[in-house]
Amino acid sequence: MTDIIKLTAAEIASKIASGELTAVEVTEAHLARIGAVDEKVNAFLYVDREGALAQARAVDEKRAKGEKLGPLAGVPVALKDIFTTEGIPTTVGSKILEGWIPPYDATVTKKLKAADVVILGKTNMDEFAMGSSTENSAYGPTGNPWDLTRIPGGSGGGSAAALAAYEAPLTLGTDTGGSIRQPAAVTGTVGVKPTYGGVSRYGMVAFSSSLDQGGPCARTVLDAALLHEAIAGHDELDSTSIDAPVPPVVEAARNGSVQGMRVGVVKQFRGEGYQAGVVQRFDESVELLKSLGAEIVELDCPTFDLALSAYYLIAPSECSSNLARFDAMRYGLRVGDDGTKSAEDVTALTREAGFGDEVKRRIILGTYALSSGYYDAYYGSAQKVRTLITREFEAAFEQVDVIVSPTTPTTAFPIGERADDPMAMYLADLCTIPTNLAGNSAMSLPCGLAPEDGLPVGLQIIAPAMKDDRLYKVGAAVEAAFVEKWGHPLLEEAPSL
Amino acid sequence: MTVTTDLVSYEDALATYDPVMGLEVHVELGTKTKMFCGCSTTLKQGANSQTCPTCLGLPGALPVVNEIGVESAIKIGLALHCEIAEWCRFARKNYFYPDMPKNFQTSQYDEPIAFNGYLDVQLEDGEVFRVEIERAHMEEDTGKSTHVGGATGRIHGASHSLLDYNRAGIPLIEIVTKPIEGAGERAPEVAKAYVAELRELIKALDVSEARMDKGQMRCDVNLSLRPKGQKEFGTRSETKNVNSLRSVERAARFEIQRHAAVLNSGGTIIQETRHFHEEDGSTTSGRIKDNAEDYRYFPEPDLVPVAPSREWVEELRAGLPELPRVRRNRLREEWGISEHDMQSILNADAIGPIVATVNAGADAASARKWWMGELARHANEQGVELGALPITPEHVARVAELVAKGDLNDKLARQVIEGVLKGEGTPDEVVEKRGLKVVSDEGALTAAVDEAIAGNAAIADKIRGGKVAAVGALVGAVMKATRGQADAARVKELILEKLGVSEG
Amino acid sequence: MPGITREEVAHLARLARLELKAEELDHFAGQLDDIIGAVARVSEVADQDVPPTSHPLPLTNVMRADEVRPSLTPEQALSGAPAQEQQRFKVPQILGED
Ligand SMILES: [Mg+2]
Ligand SMILES: [Zn+2]
């Protein structure tokens, strides 16, 4: 029998449904794997062993009673530690929330529970989702299973690494500027940023409200689609949630094809800063798409060059306000309350002690961008850039069905390399950020290893808002062609842990 | 509170300076739930019992706008003759304060839902003054802090504070006037009349009870002086949370006198917030508004814009009730009273109770008499608003009815009212329990009259001799003998009859 | 482009309630100056006559009916409180007022 941990979520679900495996067996296998490798990988911040087994037993009982099981019943899932989970610690990778146990579930958590998945625990992340390497976690960095001395991407490095290390078949991420896609790219996994408003943000600890979007992480396109369908949909608790049917992502993932599709390649997504091996694999992917029947269209989106700048004004501005609530009054860390200090001082001391450097940097940057003398020049201009980028996407999508690009300009860099060079770190999200600014949907999936370092390269597919199904249709076709070409999924080339 | 503030006499201040006022009124709406979450607003289950992830500002929680909050804001805007925005947004006002769970207030900034209106207010002598409205916008209330360990329960000297977030997130409408110029010496009176009129309006719209004593309506009085003839405004002070009509007037008056003193002595006014003190009508310095204060407003990304359709706005406009000033003028004519009397009724907050009492069957004159007399006195003594007295318009109407039927005289009626206020029951129950019926048993009355005549032979003779006015003494004796329960008019009739004298 | 000084960083940190250490002020001032220098490029579009986009969704009028939903219990509300007293959040003495 195949090793349980190497099965896809779709396979696990069908084996549980057929009785070939029990949910408890599946859960125990994953808990054992976590026990075996996570000390090295550090993908998990919290493993809910008892809760997971209880959920698994409940699924097995349901099946024994002949009750109908959902498409992901019994499948283990790990959640980025940014989603609130009632009764389970939620830290957002920050010391300021160490030990905080939310009294409520995020909508996504609720939906997963209702889908009878087995929640394994919470995964590591850059503090408050700020970062591209997971080095900003207050609980230590996560290693990339391809090379534990390298970063697994960020902010959702824990979720991506858990997949690549076979600790979970499905994980959940959030993507504000690339935090699902960039980790997927550098770990050889699949990650999707759904259309903004497609997945409820209620209970997802806010970094930048107008950019944040939760989404699925998996090892295959179909698995991502199954998780996408389970978490997406309108939520009356989130005013920015789209009240429309979820795009048919699972159906699209089962019917991959690019035949007759127009695929855009944006001029601005290459050049200086792009690793040669990344460009090479990307160019091959474009050739592959052509060979599969797609028509390639060159696109010029000049404002994309300003996307990173706009992002680093908008996201810090919103975060400076979103993170104000961490003030030591109602929950979380409290430092310096010795009976003589004022609330004001205790707040300042606690925030100083509880936030890491990157968070402080962005809070100050955002406070600056919003302050009265600078608002128009910075925040105001950034919002105009946003308008222009949105228009360029709209114009592009009049010519093409999807756009493709490298997900990230380089493969996984060594832990520590960019740790104190914020500008260098920010470049990791060069290709992913425009999508967040415009609110449309995008996927990253593996397209090979860079010849120079043997590390995974990600292919990004971008679709218009609420056309998330196109990502899966194209992604499934590309994935199938690559697996056929390589003879196996890319991840099998990763060194064993 | 001992404050040493130099003041210039009011008359002298006005001889030199021209006051400019700005009034900011916060009204807590009477919605069932909070502005951005489904928590109840009725606040009766103890501290922190009506909070949820959203109004506690827990990580991850999000707001959703209360439809009735928006509707109420539009109604208020329309009643204030404002334009209603076709499209507007909420904004975050960022500042740290422990009573504010998110450390930003979800408010509106440069895109208020209602703007450019006016409210005509009538002063005591009937003069109408137009107060221009700058804007009315939606926002949320803060939690409540209790300061522990200080001698007076104030912030100062407290060792720590306790926070209850039951009130956090309750919808507020902030109504801001344009600078009120040209009121001159009547500025304090205008301020009071404006707040009173606004309160009537809010109540008429049925969007809030607008009880100032309960903090449902709170007023900030901004005031500056400029030398007469000067165009530019002077530096203003902002007196916060002035929470009664009388205080609004006093605060404005005090600030005029204080500003004048500072300016006369060659000093400059500091832009600061000030606290009003009910005890002596003074204000004291609060927080200085320096440039460090920067609210860093930006559009609230967790909410989408509010774009009230014109159909909705017109529907709400069509459903507006008769506006208070119009209604007052109508009632004044119906009741046949003077402007001045109507103003007193308004000031006493008695229009509602009187109308309700009339609706319950009383005639307008007696309804007015009871509410403006006996009941106003009780309310005053207890320092509560008229509407807060534990007596209903139905009770008052019943008392009036009993008096009209002759079952009670005024003296007894006052005792009935007192009983009702003491919680002894309905008027009829009080009459029953206290045995307060007018003695109408002619036999008993006749006996008492005979006794009085017999016991006061000299007076009786005087009356027989034509000094009819002396009858009062005998009436008094009968009333005393019947412990006030006789109908005085009937007693007088009986006495004169017995003595064979006619009044005419 | 305007740079950002150490004093400015100190002022911003006060606004943001961060008790930065002296060495952090120096460190951040340098880094923020670089970042702001780079992102200030957005002002290239400042003159363009385009409306700002504060949000990627074109939605308006998302409202809920004025209907009561269950609240947390006071115990749940206070479950994360660093300190509590009399069913209230206990916080250090509050200075100033608003
Ligand atoms: Mg306000
Ligand atoms: Zn609430």
Side-chain angles (χ1 to χ4, degrees), chain A residues 86 103 196 210 236-237 239-242 305-306 309-310 312-313 318 328-332 334 337 340-344 346-349 351-352 355 357 360-361 363-365 367-368 374 377-378 381-388 391 420 422-423 426 437-439, chain C residues 1-4 8-9 12-13 15-21 24 27-28 31-32 34-36 38-57 59 62 64 69 72 76-83 89-95:
Chain A
E86 189 176 346
Y196 183 91
S210 75
E236 57 182 20
L237 297 178
S239 309
T240 63
S241 158
I242 295 171
D305 284 340
L306 292 175
S309 296
Y312 278 98
L313 288 164
E318 292 183 2
M329 300 293 117
R330 291 162 297 283
Y331 45 80
R334 179 181 286 183
D337 184 13
T340 69
K341 291 190 181 67
S342 66
E344 186 175 12
V346 167
T347 296
L349 287 166
R351 288 164 65 82
E352 165 63 12
F355 289 142
D357 275 3
K360 289 183 206 167
R361 239 181 331 258
I363 288 174
I364 295 172
L365 182 55
T367 305
Y368 176 77
Y374 300 105
Y378 293 126
S381 295
Q383 305 279 29
K384 287 188 172 186
V385 168
R386 199 168 187 175
T387 306
L388 293 170
R391 287 180 182 174
D420 205 35
M423 285 308 290
Y426 297 169
L437 291 172
Chain C
M1 264 296 133
I4 185 163
E8 234 168 329
V9 173
L12 294 166
L15 270 181
R17 290 274 203 284
L18 288 168
E19 184 77 43
L20 292 187
K21 298 182 195 76
E24 280 182 304
H27 192 58
F28 285 148
Q31 288 181 333
L32 288 164
D34 287 349
I35 297 170
I36 288 161
V39 301
R41 285 190 61 200
V42 294
S43 58
E44 286 171 23
V45 304
D47 299 337
Q48 290 201 38
D49 187 25
V50 291
T53 298
S54 63
H55 210 273
L57 280 181
L59 297 175
V62 176
R64 66 183 166 83
R69 281 175 174 272
L72 294 171
Q76 285 176 312
L78 288 151
S79 62
F89 294 86
K90 184 182 176 187
V91 306
Q93 52 175 319
I94 300 171
L95 294 183

Side-chain angles (χ1 to χ4, degrees), chain A residues 5-19:
Chain A
I5 59 166
K6 299 238 166 142
L7 295 174
T8 66
E11 288 165 348
I12 291 173
S14 86
K15 284 181 194 293
I16 290 174
S18 71

Side-chain angles (χ1 to χ4, degrees), chain B residues 31-40 47-53 56 64-68 70 87 89 96-98 155 158-165 273 275 286-287 292 296 299 301 304-307, chain C residues 11-12 14-18 52-78 83-98:
Chain B
T31 49
K32 289 196 198 77
T33 66
K34 294 186 178 181
M35 190 64 199
F36 302 113
C37 65
C39 286
S40 166
N48 292 301
S49 60
Q50 273 146 193
T51 65
C52 71
L56 269 184
V64 186
V65 171
N66 182 339
E67 186 176 21
I68 302 299
V70 175
W87 189 92
R89 284 180 294 191
F96 281 84
Y97 207 73
I155 278 185
S159 64
H160 62 275
S161 299
L162 299 178
L163 289 161
D164 171 11
Y165 294 103
T273 62
H275 304 293
R287 186 169 40 88
R296 290 160 285 132
V304 304
V306 176
Chain C
H11 168 66
L12 294 166
R14 263 195 305 280
L15 270 181
R17 290 274 203 284
L18 288 168
T53 298
S54 63
H55 210 273
L57 280 181
L59 297 175
T60 55
N61 294 333
V62 176
M63 296 183 229
R64 66 183 166 83
D66 185 24
E67 286 161 10
V68 175
R69 281 175 174 272
S71 295
L72 294 171
T73 64
E75 294 69 37
Q76 285 176 312
L78 288 151
Q84 52 175 298
E85 196 175 293
Q86 297 169 30
Q87 207 172 299
R88 290 168 171 84
F89 294 86
K90 184 182 176 187
V91 306
Q93 52 175 319
I94 300 171
L95 294 183
E97 43 72 53
D98 211 288

Side-chain angles (χ1 to χ4, degrees), chain B residues 24 26 93 105 107 137 139-140 172 174 297:
Chain B
E24 293 179 19
H26 286 88
K93 180 182 185 181
Q105 183 190 35
S107 180
H137 73 246
E139 57 181 38
E140 58 179 337
L172 292 178
E174 179 175 334
Y297 282 100

